[in-house]
PDB file of all heavy atoms in Angstrom:
ATOM      1  N   ALA A 146     -11.244  -8.887  -6.193  1.00  0.00           N
ATOM      2  CA  ALA A 146     -10.070  -9.518  -6.775  1.00  0.00           C
ATOM      3  C   ALA A 146      -8.809  -8.811  -6.270  1.00  0.00           C
ATOM      4  O   ALA A 146      -8.857  -7.611  -5.940  1.00  0.00           O
ATOM      5  CB  ALA A 146     -10.146  -9.452  -8.294  1.00  0.00           C
ATOM      6  N   LEU A 147      -7.720  -9.541  -6.228  1.00  0.00           N
ATOM      7  CA  LEU A 147      -6.436  -8.990  -5.765  1.00  0.00           C
ATOM      8  C   LEU A 147      -5.352  -9.334  -6.777  1.00  0.00           C
ATOM      9  O   LEU A 147      -5.360 -10.425  -7.360  1.00  0.00           O
ATOM     10  CB  LEU A 147      -6.053  -9.604  -4.412  1.00  0.00           C
ATOM     11  CG  LEU A 147      -7.079  -9.558  -3.272  1.00  0.00           C
ATOM     12  CD1 LEU A 147      -6.627 -10.438  -2.107  1.00  0.00           C
ATOM     13  CD2 LEU A 147      -7.283  -8.123  -2.800  1.00  0.00           C
ATOM     14  N   VAL A 148      -4.431  -8.428  -6.979  1.00  0.00           N
ATOM     15  CA  VAL A 148      -3.227  -8.731  -7.790  1.00  0.00           C
ATOM     16  C   VAL A 148      -1.993  -8.326  -6.992  1.00  0.00           C
ATOM     17  O   VAL A 148      -2.069  -7.374  -6.192  1.00  0.00           O
ATOM     18  CB  VAL A 148      -3.186  -8.011  -9.155  1.00  0.00           C
ATOM     19  CG1 VAL A 148      -4.145  -8.600 -10.134  1.00  0.00           C
ATOM     20  CG2 VAL A 148      -3.359  -6.535  -9.003  1.00  0.00           C
ATOM     21  N   ARG A 149      -0.908  -9.041  -7.249  1.00  0.00           N
ATOM     22  CA  ARG A 149       0.308  -8.707  -6.502  1.00  0.00           C
ATOM     23  C   ARG A 149       0.936  -7.461  -7.120  1.00  0.00           C
ATOM     24  O   ARG A 149       1.195  -7.425  -8.340  1.00  0.00           O
ATOM     25  CB  ARG A 149       1.262  -9.897  -6.512  1.00  0.00           C
ATOM     26  CG  ARG A 149       2.325  -9.791  -5.428  1.00  0.00           C
ATOM     27  CD  ARG A 149       3.002 -11.124  -5.134  1.00  0.00           C
ATOM     28  NE  ARG A 149       2.142 -12.095  -4.490  1.00  0.00           N
ATOM     29  CZ  ARG A 149       1.834 -12.151  -3.194  1.00  0.00           C
ATOM     30  NH1 ARG A 149       2.265 -11.212  -2.378  1.00  0.00           N
ATOM     31  NH2 ARG A 149       1.060 -13.114  -2.726  1.00  0.00           N
ATOM     32  N   GLY A 150       1.132  -6.460  -6.334  1.00  0.00           N
ATOM     33  CA  GLY A 150       1.664  -5.184  -6.822  1.00  0.00           C
ATOM     34  C   GLY A 150       3.177  -5.189  -6.831  1.00  0.00           C
ATOM     35  O   GLY A 150       3.833  -6.157  -6.445  1.00  0.00           O
ATOM     36  N   ALA A 151       3.719  -4.028  -7.267  1.00  0.00           N
ATOM     37  CA  ALA A 151       5.176  -3.890  -7.395  1.00  0.00           C
ATOM     38  C   ALA A 151       5.887  -4.086  -6.065  1.00  0.00           C
ATOM     39  O   ALA A 151       7.026  -4.560  -5.999  1.00  0.00           O
ATOM     40  CB  ALA A 151       5.510  -2.530  -7.981  1.00  0.00           C
ATOM     41  N   ASP A 152       5.208  -3.735  -4.963  1.00  0.00           N
ATOM     42  CA  ASP A 152       5.867  -3.864  -3.644  1.00  0.00           C
ATOM     43  C   ASP A 152       5.710  -5.285  -3.060  1.00  0.00           C
ATOM     44  O   ASP A 152       6.117  -5.538  -1.931  1.00  0.00           O
ATOM     45  CB  ASP A 152       5.300  -2.844  -2.660  1.00  0.00           C
ATOM     46  CG  ASP A 152       3.839  -3.124  -2.310  1.00  0.00           C
ATOM     47  OD1 ASP A 152       3.222  -3.993  -2.986  1.00  0.00           O
ATOM     48  OD2 ASP A 152       3.322  -2.494  -1.381  1.00  0.00           O
ATOM     49  N   GLY A 153       5.110  -6.189  -3.824  1.00  0.00           N
ATOM     50  CA  GLY A 153       4.999  -7.572  -3.365  1.00  0.00           C
ATOM     51  C   GLY A 153       3.733  -7.882  -2.609  1.00  0.00           C
ATOM     52  O   GLY A 153       3.455  -9.049  -2.286  1.00  0.00           O
ATOM     53  N   SER A 154       2.940  -6.850  -2.317  1.00  0.00           N
ATOM     54  CA  SER A 154       1.703  -7.130  -1.564  1.00  0.00           C
ATOM     55  C   SER A 154       0.538  -7.327  -2.536  1.00  0.00           C
ATOM     56  O   SER A 154       0.588  -6.857  -3.687  1.00  0.00           O
ATOM     57  CB  SER A 154       1.407  -5.980  -0.602  1.00  0.00           C
ATOM     58  OG  SER A 154       1.132  -4.815  -1.347  1.00  0.00           O
ATOM     59  N   LEU A 155      -0.512  -8.002  -2.064  1.00  0.00           N
ATOM     60  CA  LEU A 155      -1.725  -8.204  -2.873  1.00  0.00           C
ATOM     61  C   LEU A 155      -2.624  -7.008  -2.686  1.00  0.00           C
ATOM     62  O   LEU A 155      -2.966  -6.642  -1.561  1.00  0.00           O
ATOM     63  CB  LEU A 155      -2.428  -9.486  -2.445  1.00  0.00           C
ATOM     64  CG  LEU A 155      -1.757 -10.792  -2.918  1.00  0.00           C
ATOM     65  CD1 LEU A 155      -2.316 -11.991  -2.163  1.00  0.00           C
ATOM     66  CD2 LEU A 155      -1.931 -11.005  -4.425  1.00  0.00           C
ATOM     67  N   VAL A 156      -2.999  -6.365  -3.784  1.00  0.00           N
ATOM     68  CA  VAL A 156      -3.837  -5.148  -3.681  1.00  0.00           C
ATOM     69  C   VAL A 156      -5.128  -5.344  -4.468  1.00  0.00           C
ATOM     70  O   VAL A 156      -5.141  -6.050  -5.489  1.00  0.00           O
ATOM     71  CB  VAL A 156      -3.074  -3.922  -4.214  1.00  0.00           C
ATOM     72  CG1 VAL A 156      -1.900  -3.583  -3.335  1.00  0.00           C
ATOM     73  CG2 VAL A 156      -2.583  -4.139  -5.649  1.00  0.00           C
ATOM     74  N   PRO A 157      -6.234  -4.741  -4.018  1.00  0.00           N
ATOM     75  CA  PRO A 157      -7.506  -4.913  -4.705  1.00  0.00           C
ATOM     76  C   PRO A 157      -7.471  -4.395  -6.135  1.00  0.00           C
ATOM     77  O   PRO A 157      -6.787  -3.420  -6.440  1.00  0.00           O
ATOM     78  CB  PRO A 157      -8.491  -4.079  -3.854  1.00  0.00           C
ATOM     79  CG  PRO A 157      -7.814  -3.935  -2.539  1.00  0.00           C
ATOM     80  CD  PRO A 157      -6.349  -3.931  -2.799  1.00  0.00           C
ATOM     81  N   THR A 158      -8.233  -5.058  -6.978  1.00  0.00           N
ATOM     82  CA  THR A 158      -8.355  -4.632  -8.364  1.00  0.00           C
ATOM     83  C   THR A 158      -9.761  -4.918  -8.849  1.00  0.00           C
ATOM     84  O   THR A 158     -10.567  -5.528  -8.130  1.00  0.00           O
ATOM     85  CB  THR A 158      -7.291  -5.323  -9.245  1.00  0.00           C
ATOM     86  OG1 THR A 158      -7.308  -4.739 -10.539  1.00  0.00           O
ATOM     87  CG2 THR A 158      -7.567  -6.820  -9.388  1.00  0.00           C
ATOM     88  N   THR A 159     -10.082  -4.503 -10.064  1.00  0.00           N
ATOM     89  CA  THR A 159     -11.433  -4.755 -10.583  1.00  0.00           C
ATOM     90  C   THR A 159     -11.473  -6.153 -11.194  1.00  0.00           C
ATOM     91  O   THR A 159     -10.430  -6.703 -11.585  1.00  0.00           O
ATOM     92  CB  THR A 159     -11.778  -3.742 -11.682  1.00  0.00           C
ATOM     93  OG1 THR A 159     -10.873  -3.948 -12.792  1.00  0.00           O
ATOM     94  CG2 THR A 159     -11.664  -2.325 -11.183  1.00  0.00           C
ATOM     95  N   PRO A 160     -12.690  -6.720 -11.337  1.00  0.00           N
ATOM     96  CA  PRO A 160     -12.797  -8.039 -11.973  1.00  0.00           C
ATOM     97  C   PRO A 160     -12.206  -8.005 -13.387  1.00  0.00           C
ATOM     98  O   PRO A 160     -11.520  -8.945 -13.783  1.00  0.00           O
ATOM     99  CB  PRO A 160     -14.300  -8.287 -12.004  1.00  0.00           C
ATOM    100  CG  PRO A 160     -14.858  -7.458 -10.905  1.00  0.00           C
ATOM    101  CD  PRO A 160     -13.973  -6.247 -10.804  1.00  0.00           C
TER     102      PRO A 160
END
Side-chain angles (χ1 to χ4, degrees):
L147 307 170
V148 286
R149 198 162 291 281
D152 68 349
S154 64
L155 284 165
V156 293
T158 188
T159 64

